[in-house]
Amino acid sequence: NRQQYDVADEQLRRALDIARSAQLDEVTPIILANLGEIAGFQGKVDEACRLWREALLPLEKAGHAAAGIVSGWIDEHRCD
């Protein structure tokens, strides 16, 4: 439901702020990917695409399995 997505978005944004301030570079792209997923569920495709693109390169560089998932979301939503 919409309220749950709003709560998840708020909490993930707080987690992102914490991860960035603590320089937890390995965690930041995972949070960005999840924020993108929430934005996608909320119908905010442009925001979702922006977040996924920001997450993708660090995930690829780390060889993280989530890179394939994020890449799939980018393709699925036709992010340019």
Side-chain angles (χ1 to χ4, degrees):
N1 97 24
R2 178 98 176 145
Q3 185 178 8
Q4 289 173 318
Y5 290 134
D6 291 343
V7 170
D9 182 75
E10 180 183 323
Q11 291 177 351
L12 283 167
R13 289 189 185 279
R14 275 192 257 142
L16 182 62
D17 288 342
I18 292 166
R20 285 182 169 160
S21 69
Q23 298 179 334
L24 298 173
D25 297 334
E26 67 279 0
V27 175
T28 300
I30 299 298
I31 298 169
L32 289 167
N34 283 286
L35 278 167
E37 190 173 14
I38 295 297
F41 287 140
Q42 292 176 317
K44 301 174 186 175
V45 177
D46 290 342
E47 175 74 2
C49 290
R50 182 188 68 75
L51 291 160
W52 291 330
R53 283 192 300 265
E54 188 176 345
L56 185 58
L57 184 59
L59 290 171
E60 289 176 334
K61 284 183 179 180
H64 199 289
I69 295 167
V70 171
S71 181
W73 289 337
I74 289 170
D75 292 344
E76 179 183 329
H77 289 85
R78 296 181 179 91
C79 301
D80 293 328

